[in-house]
Amino acid sequence: RALLLLGPQRPWQRLPRHLCSSSSSSCGAADSPPAGRRCRHRLVPDAPTWRNVADSELPPPTAIDSDTIALLERLSLVQFDTADTVRVVAEAVRFADELRLVHAGPEVEPMTSLPEAWGWRCPLRADTPAEQPRTAVLSNAAETEEHYFVAPPGNIAAKDSGRERLDRLAEGAKSKASRSSRS
Amino acid sequence: MSGLKRLWQGVIGLEVHAQISSASKLFSASPTAFNMPVNTQVSLFDAAIPGTLPVLNQRCVELTLKTALALNCRINDVSAFDRKHYFYADMPAGYQITQHFRPLANHGRLEFYWQPDDNDPTSIAESVADIVQLQLEQDSGRSLHDSERQLSLIDLNRAGVALMELITGPTLTCGAEAAGFVRELVDLLRCLGACTGSLAEGALRVDANVSCRPAPPAAGDSGLGVRTEIKNINSLAALARAIDFEVARQAAVLDAGEEVINETRALADDATGRSVSMRDKERVQDYRFMPEPNLPPLFPSDLLPAASVDLPPPDQLPPGLRRRLRQELGFSYQHLASSVVAARPLADWRYLDAAVTAAKLSRPVTSPHLGRWFVHCFLGNCFRLLGESAAAEDSGISVESFGAFLSLAVDCAMISEEVGERLLERMFAQPSMDPLAEVQRLNWFLTRNPTEVASRFSQFFHRQDIASKNLDQLVKYGKFKLRGNSKKASVIEERFLALFMEAAEYTVDRTVAAKVVADILQSGVAPPPS
């Protein structure tokens, strides 16, 4: 489990200018760092650091049982068809568990968008409508009917499972393909 | 609700989605006009075509802030948008942009009146609803389901239109109270110009969260029971019935010792309020809320000046206006709740106020009939003769004239209700008329003296046409009286009373006349010689 380093750039050339701490004027177009002067943010280490995370440090692995599979299938509309898929999901969850070891401290607010970190406020638009040509929006749709988009039926019976619905979707797609190939 | 064991008390919270009256959608420049051809108001962003980004509509934020101010909410310093993920064909992106974690405003209140007893029109109660959260969100498109051909037809004209979501706390107790709240909210939103408020058109959608708890609550137990959500409500009456039905259903379930299942129910029958379960508890929904990364946070204080520039003061907004009409002028619920109250210009209420002063009625006015005279009769005549957009002053009837009329008519002080209506019509025909002089001229004063009423009735009774036409009635009356059948006898008494009142042009007091009629008929059982 290793983070990939960037190419053979000089460390100080990778950072935006304004993140250089103190005396940023010294970070000019020079190819080599000024003698004895750090040109990086104080939290960026001088040399790359690796730390292998032992399995025992992580919280207990999340069990992926059949109920969870059914829930994930329904939420993501992705079909878990083989046991290998389940193994891959379990490994991905384990990989993400490492994030629980990161402690940024309670005073650090999570950043949700980059513009927010730059101090941007939500841009606002005047309430002026503009005409929208119908052809552009409908042009990607494989099937339309009297300018409506055509979609699979929305009302699913309560007893229906995600797998049955996916099967029907696949059948519908196959029959539609065969219909369009015949016509 | 009679017949119900008073063991359980309803606990109701409402989620209201109001479509904001803006010219374009919340995050795109598509028009929002109603009933336009299919898919003609859909931008690339609304159809979730990749490479598009949301840009927030300033007018939508201003209107929501205006509503938050009118509801006395605490406006948050920073507000942000979030994604709510679920798959449905009428939501192309697979998520809805809403405000889950940091909405625009919290902790507001709305005061409203409602009618606790359907059968008693004078019953009235006052309540306060908590507005827990007020936020902006996107609307989804519309889908038409064709079960025969196993497909849905999707129209995205409505997808992306701005909605204002209001969530109330669980403080409402029954259907009538919930309907009263929504009625007041609709009037407020219309007055602010934020929403057209039409439940039938779908501009305002209400979902009810209903649970039960023991009444009175057990000491130390402030918990809430399992709740169900009712959707698909299209009118105020249906809302009240659906809530009452669900409270009764849950009470029956709990009385039987079973547990209420947390589920979503759809209103199936508007007339009875019966709802059916849409989903069962196995289907857990996980919306995976996450902050919207394409929208930096919003600072509502930047827009507060623009939002509050044309906000009326609290006593001129519908809740405050209704409170003054109730407390100072004694309006009954029937006239308070009328949408006329919120729709009339304020000048009309100033006119009424001045007329009440001119009539020298004591304040606070305790008679419930003032509302009837002004809202029903006066404004009714205005609408009929001058059109709906006319103000009260356009009638030409001066404040003093109307005040004189009120002093005659309120509580039947000097003229009866029927005479009052006729007098008002005459005043509209001839606005400069002095009502008191007119009543004197036509001798329309109300007679209350029993002797006088008796003599007038005798005169009426012995008129040739009355006696000849009603001979058979008198004979029947005699028979009923002899047999002791008082119910049928009183029917005949009422018939004579009605004829008498009409002949006397309603210038006699009804209760006095009823007694006089009964006395004379009982005493003179034998018909007069013809």
Side-chain angles (χ1 to χ4, degrees):
Chain A
R1 300 187 185 98
L3 295 170
L4 205 54
L5 266 187
L6 298 171
Q9 265 181 304
R10 303 284 170 167
W12 59 93
Q13 283 170 327
R14 258 181 271 136
L15 288 172
R17 290 282 156 81
H18 68 276
L19 279 184
C20 288
S21 60
S22 76
S23 58
S24 48
S25 55
S26 57
C27 291
D31 211 21
S32 57
R37 265 309 218 333
R38 281 200 67 218
C39 222
R40 277 176 289 274
H41 191 270
R42 58 183 173 85
L43 289 180
V44 177
D46 284 340
T49 56
W50 293 102
R51 190 171 84 76
N52 282 321
V53 176
D55 214 44
S56 53
E57 291 179 66
L58 297 172
T62 320
I64 314 275
D65 57 358
S66 60
D67 282 347
T68 320
I69 299 275
L71 179 65
L72 288 173
E73 280 187 332
R74 202 159 36 78
L75 290 182
S76 66
L77 294 188
V78 169
Q79 201 165 0
F80 288 36
D81 45 2
T82 60
D84 209 43
T85 322
V86 179
R87 183 186 59 79
V88 168
V89 168
E91 278 193 14
V93 172
R94 200 80 183 119
F95 181 64
D97 276 341
E98 286 185 42
L99 287 173
R100 299 200 198 195
L101 299 177
V102 178
H103 300 291
E107 67 278 1
V108 179
E109 280 288 317
M111 182 179 78
T112 55
S113 64
L114 210 47
E116 178 186 336
W118 298 333
W120 280 24
R121 300 187 167 202
C122 192
L124 296 167
R125 177 175 57 83
D127 187 29
T128 332
E131 209 180 299
Q132 307 294 338
R134 178 155 63 186
T135 46
V137 155
L138 293 177
S139 61
N140 276 341
E143 198 174 328
T144 63
E145 184 167 312
E146 291 188 32
H147 307 295
Y148 283 94
F149 292 100
V150 176
N155 294 331
I156 311 294
K159 301 251 187 314
D160 201 355
S161 83
R163 186 175 298 283
E164 286 173 24
R165 182 168 74 124
L166 292 172
D167 287 342
R168 271 220 308 270
L169 280 174
E171 271 180 44
K174 267 190 286 184
S175 67
K176 188 159 55 79
S178 63
R179 259 190 283 128
S180 59
S181 66
R182 264 188 274 128
S183 61
Chain B
M1 291 186 66
S2 64
L4 190 66
K5 274 198 286 186
R6 300 295 285 171
L7 209 54
W8 302 102
Q9 176 191 48
V11 176
I12 294 126
L14 297 178
E15 288 175 18
V16 179
H17 293 85
Q19 207 165 315
I20 301 179
S21 303
S22 60
S24 59
K25 294 185 180 177
L26 184 58
F27 293 117
S28 68
S30 311
T32 55
F34 186 62
N35 246 354
M36 296 301 278
V38 174
N39 283 323
T40 50
Q41 300 190 133
V42 186
S43 69
L44 296 181
F45 170 77
D46 301 327
I49 305 291
T52 55
L53 288 176
V55 188
L56 184 56
N57 182 334
Q58 180 165 339
R59 183 91 186 115
C60 295
V61 185
E62 284 171 7
L63 286 171
T64 313
L65 285 178
K66 199 170 165 188
T67 311
L69 290 170
L71 290 170
N72 298 298
C73 292
R74 184 173 54 80
I75 311 232
N76 292 324
D77 297 327
V78 186
S79 176
F81 290 93
D82 308 302
R83 289 185 183 179
K84 176 178 178 183
H85 300 84
Y86 62 95
F87 286 113
Y88 207 74
D90 63 13
M91 211 171 56
Y95 59 86
Q96 175 196 31
I97 302 181
T98 174
Q99 294 187 300
H100 182 73
F101 297 112
R102 294 192 283 177
L104 268 178
N106 294 99
H107 301 315
R109 52 187 273 122
L110 180 65
E111 295 164 353
F112 61 98
Y113 290 98
W114 57 287
Q115 188 177 9
D117 187 352
D118 273 344
N119 300 321
D120 178 11
T122 62
S123 71
I124 189 169
E126 194 179 345
S127 284
V128 180
D130 297 325
I131 310 290
V132 169
Q133 191 156 315
L134 181 61
Q135 66 195 50
L136 276 170
E137 59 181 34
Q138 279 180 317
D139 203 353
S140 63
R142 282 187 63 234
S143 47
L144 308 176
H145 302 296
D146 187 342
S147 50
E148 274 180 24
R149 288 188 295 160
Q150 289 284 296
L151 50 83
S152 293
L153 300 175
I154 311 292
D155 173 15
L156 294 180
N157 275 350
R158 206 185 65 180
V161 169
L163 290 181
M164 193 190 317
E165 178 168 356
L166 287 104
I167 304 178
T168 74
T171 55
L172 305 170
T173 56
C174 64
E177 193 175 0
F181 166 77
V182 175
R183 196 177 280 125
E184 186 65 78
L185 182 67
V186 163
D187 275 346
L188 181 64
L189 290 173
R190 281 204 187 123
C191 172
L192 296 174
C195 175
T196 60
S198 163
L199 270 141
E201 280 174 16
L204 195 97
R205 284 161 245 164
V206 183
D207 299 329
N209 294 307
V210 182
S211 68
C212 280
R213 69 169 164 211
D221 172 29
S222 61
L224 300 171
V226 177
R227 66 176 167 90
T228 64
E229 188 178 356
I230 310 176
K231 290 180 150 344
N232 194 26
I233 298 167
N234 294 324
S235 69
L236 282 182
L239 172 69
R241 284 185 214 124
I243 288 173
D244 291 336
F245 175 92
E246 181 61 17
V247 170
R249 186 195 72 89
Q250 288 193 12
V253 163
L254 292 167
D255 279 341
E258 291 161 18
E259 291 196 351
V260 177
I261 306 171
N262 175 4
E263 61 188 350
T264 307
R265 301 175 68 86
L267 181 60
D269 183 1
D270 276 11
T272 58
R274 187 177 59 90
S275 53
V276 289
S277 173
M278 278 170 71
R279 303 195 257 267
D280 57 0
K281 65 179 174 181
E282 269 84 42
R283 298 187 76 84
V284 168
Q285 187 62 275
D286 180 2
Y287 292 117
R288 291 168 288 144
F289 287 100
M290 76 173 232
E292 169 63 57
N294 293 325
L295 291 169
L298 178 65
F299 289 76
S301 50
D302 296 343
L303 290 169
L304 273 179
S308 50
V309 71
D310 55 351
L311 178 68
D315 62 346
Q316 290 178 18
L317 289 170
L321 184 61
R322 287 198 162 100
R323 152 167 287 233
R324 277 170 50 213
L325 289 174
R326 170 76 190 152
Q327 288 179 343
E328 289 176 25
L329 298 180
F331 271 39
S332 67
Y333 180 73
Q334 179 192 7
H335 299 112
L336 264 190
S338 157
S339 56
V340 164
V341 169
R344 298 306 296 168
L346 289 166
D348 279 6
W349 305 111
R350 284 195 277 266
Y351 177 93
L352 174 63
D353 214 42
V356 168
T357 312
K360 298 197 181 56
L361 296 174
S362 64
R363 296 211 195 213
V365 175
T366 49
S367 160
H369 301 299
L370 185 62
R372 178 178 171 272
W373 284 119
F374 187 67
V375 175
H376 182 62
C377 297
F378 188 95
L379 290 179
N381 276 305
C382 261
F383 290 164
R384 203 165 40 84
L385 300 168
L386 306 166
E388 266 189 48
S389 53
E393 290 163 337
D394 297 342
S395 63
I397 300 175
S398 71
V399 163
E400 290 75 26
S401 297
F402 189 53
F405 171 83
L406 286 177
S407 60
L408 289 169
V410 167
D411 279 336
C412 295
M414 289 201 214
I415 54 177
S416 68
E417 283 182 12
E418 293 85 354
V419 165
E421 281 175 25
R422 266 186 286 148
L423 179 62
L424 199 56
E425 277 173 32
R426 284 180 177 237
M427 283 170 76
F428 266 86
Q430 197 193 332
S432 54
M433 165 177 32
D434 175 19
L436 186 58
E438 188 76 0
V439 169
Q440 278 169 340
R441 183 176 72 86
L442 295 167
N443 198 15
W444 271 354
F445 284 108
L446 201 54
T447 317
R448 284 203 171 95
N449 189 332
T451 340
E452 238 180 279
V453 174
S455 71
R456 283 177 77 170
F457 182 68
S458 300
Q459 273 180 324
F460 161 79
F461 197 61
H462 288 103
R463 268 163 53 177
Q464 187 63 23
D465 50 342
I466 299 295
S468 58
K469 273 191 208 166
N470 295 299
L471 206 55
D472 57 325
Q473 292 288 315
L474 289 171
V475 169
K476 276 193 210 168
Y477 185 77
K479 277 194 209 156
F480 293 145
K481 269 298 178 190
L482 284 171
R483 281 190 221 150
N485 193 338
S486 57
K487 204 159 72 155
K488 289 195 182 175
S490 63
V491 167
I492 298 184
E493 279 172 14
E494 278 186 25
R495 190 195 143 88
F496 274 100
L497 175 66
L499 288 170
F500 174 47
M501 295 286 286
E502 200 183 328
E505 292 189 331
Y506 300 98
T507 55
V508 292
D509 184 272
R510 194 183 175 87
T511 19
V512 172
K515 191 166 183 317
V516 158
V517 167
D519 286 342
I520 290 185
L521 281 179
Q522 281 173 31
S523 64
V525 168
S530 52

